[in-house]
Amino acid sequence: MRKESVVLFLLLAGCTERWIQVRSEPPGATVYLDGKKLGTTPCKGRFVWYGDRELVLERDEFQSHTEIVRLRAPWWQWPIIDLIPDFLLPWTFTDLHSFSFSLKKRTVDPKERSGMKERAEQLRRELEKEE
């Protein structure tokens, strides 16, 4: 086989695109995948490795949500078999993992609320003394 044929063959080889898609209700939450910002819901981003991953969703006025999600490899991404779609077939394979979460409204405990008022009054008195 000539070198040009080998190079052409490798250029025609396919690959696998791995995507994670995250939605939330309500939308607009910031999403972190293993501590790195992925985007704002609804969002979609690429990942490289399968396995257990940490997803964190944060949005003002809502409780932050942390969950360990399992990104499982499809059968065509199992070791040895993965050589076929990644190097021998001239197509791009897409592996999409979708997750949806419902965020809970943040509530303030009445005890915490009264404590906040007391701290605000104390700060106000301290500022008045400084003036």
Side-chain angles (χ1 to χ4, degrees):
M1 196 183 294
R2 296 175 51 193
K3 289 182 182 178
E4 295 85 14
S5 299
V6 172
V7 170
L8 180 61
F9 178 75
L10 291 174
L11 288 175
L12 291 176
C15 66
T16 300
E17 292 182 352
R18 296 169 190 89
W19 293 92
I20 183 168
Q21 180 175 322
V22 182
R23 294 185 178 103
S24 69
E25 184 55 45
T30 304
V31 179
Y32 298 91
L33 178 63
D34 295 331
K36 295 182 181 177
K37 186 176 178 180
L38 185 68
T40 303
T41 59
C43 66
K44 185 176 171 183
R46 291 181 183 222
F47 71 93
V48 177
W49 307 109
Y50 292 104
D52 293 345
R53 310 296 290 276
E54 182 185 58
L55 269 179
V56 177
L57 284 79
E58 295 178 344
R59 182 168 177 205
D60 289 342
E61 300 179 17
F62 288 85
Q63 295 177 13
S64 65
H65 181 86
T66 302
E67 190 164 324
I68 302 297
V69 296
R70 179 160 287 171
L71 303 178
R72 293 182 188 261
W75 68 269
W76 43 269
Q77 282 291 279
W78 293 350
I80 307 299
I81 297 172
D82 66 340
L83 297 174
I84 296 168
D86 287 350
F87 297 106
L88 300 178
L89 298 176
W91 302 287
T92 298
F93 290 80
T94 302
D95 182 21
L96 176 65
H97 297 258
S98 294
F99 298 94
S100 295
F101 302 97
S102 292
L103 300 178
K104 296 179 181 175
K105 194 84 163 153
R106 184 180 302 149
T107 57
V108 179
D109 183 6
K111 291 179 185 177
E112 185 179 331
R113 184 179 304 257
S114 67
M116 290 167 62
K117 287 181 183 178
E118 290 171 12
R119 286 192 303 275
E121 289 296 326
Q122 181 182 0
L123 285 171
R124 184 176 291 124
R125 285 190 299 270
E126 288 176 13
L127 284 172
E128 288 172 355
K129 286 179 186 177
E130 289 179 8
E131 292 177 355

